[in-house]
Amino acid sequence: MHGAFFLLLGSSLARFLIRHNNEERVPWIIALSVVLAVLYVLGPGRGLRLTPRTRLPRYAWLFAVVTVWAVLVVLAPSFAWCAVPLFYTGLRTLRPRAAIVLLTLLVLLVVLAQLELSGRFDPDLVLAPPAVAAIASAVFIQMERQSARQRRLIDDLIRTRRELAASERREGMLAERQRLSMEIHDTLAQGLSSQQMLLQAAERMWGADPDKARAHVRTAESIAEHNLTEARRFVHDLAPADLAAGGGLGEALHALAARESGDRLTVRVHIDDGGRRPDLPDRVQSALLRIAQGALANVREHADATTAALTLTLLDDQVVLDVADDGHGFDPSVLPGTAAGVRGHGLPAMRARVGQLGGTLTIESVPGEGAVLSAAIPLETPP
């Protein structure tokens, strides 16, 4: 539209100079054309980003442009067709009622100018300018309505994206809190519980069997040292400390079994990998080690077992960890996930870990005959 304005202004000036180059009003027409072009460029109708000191007020600018143009039309009626771009400028600048008044004045000047150029009454010259103004106004109004709808849709989209991002952040925070609570339960909380039991046992037998009591204290000290390593690991990247040494899940299970073995409980480890070193993802190794830690903690505190076995089996499509004990067992069908006597997260935490990796957790136990906990995780987890 800006290009059309300057094209019409230039063609009108050229037409006037061709037909009236010897008239006295030529300098005035040229000067007014230059002034009109400069005003159009500098004003807000051009959309230039000028500094506040150089920008003319919007309405004053429009009044100046229309006034200069009207003088040009009076002096040279051929400039009337510059009104078409001014229609859009007025509609964009003024409020609807004020824009209608301005359009009426512009159309009236165009009709008078065309009749003067024709030298006779012509219905087309009377009806064509209002029709052009009506079409221009209708197109502009439709464009404005479409732009308003698009702006509303964009605003809704931006708001929806922000709400979705906030919801995802909240869900991520909740998931991270749950994961941290499970990590703390499977490491620090269980270690502190073991230390408490060992220190209580040492206190009970300190007078009767000092050597055994000191052994309990030394074991508690070893667990405390491991818990300190775990706590430092939390600060670093929350990976199990036994896996941080780089020996893999097998060595981590052997280290766990050595730590958990004592006078009351012996833990054995068997790795069935078909003669090949299991190359498992870090998430799978971490989850299986945490499950082994939680299962042995339950064995030590609730099963009253003397022997436990950790068996890691690497198959073609999955890895399976079995934790078996010879304790007094229980009935899995009547064991609620958060019943009294099931401390902390326990089995729900194990199920959550396995479920996050697309695996399954099964428990087989009969009262008086021990228990077997089995965690199977596919080697290719679902997205």
Side-chain angles (χ1 to χ4, degrees), residues 331-346:
D331 185 359
S333 63
V334 297
L335 180 64
T338 57
V342 181
R343 182 181 54 79
H345 291 277

Side-chain angles (χ1 to χ4, degrees), residues 1 83-92 94-107 128-146:
M1 195 56 61
V84 176
L86 294 180
F87 290 162
Y88 284 99
T89 302
L91 289 170
R92 188 173 58 250
L94 300 175
R95 295 181 179 180
R97 293 184 180 180
I100 292 175
V101 174
L102 177 62
L103 292 183
T104 302
L105 294 176
L106 294 179
V107 170
V132 172
I135 294 174
S137 301
V139 171
F140 178 84
I141 292 174
Q142 180 64 21
M143 291 171 58
E144 285 293 301
R145 290 177 178 175
Q146 185 176 359

Side-chain angles (χ1 to χ4, degrees), residues 14 40 89 98-99 118 164 192 214 255 321 334 339 342 345:
Y40 194 88
T89 302
S118 176
L164 179 60
L192 292 173
R214 291 188 183 92
L321 174 67
V334 297
V342 181
H345 291 277

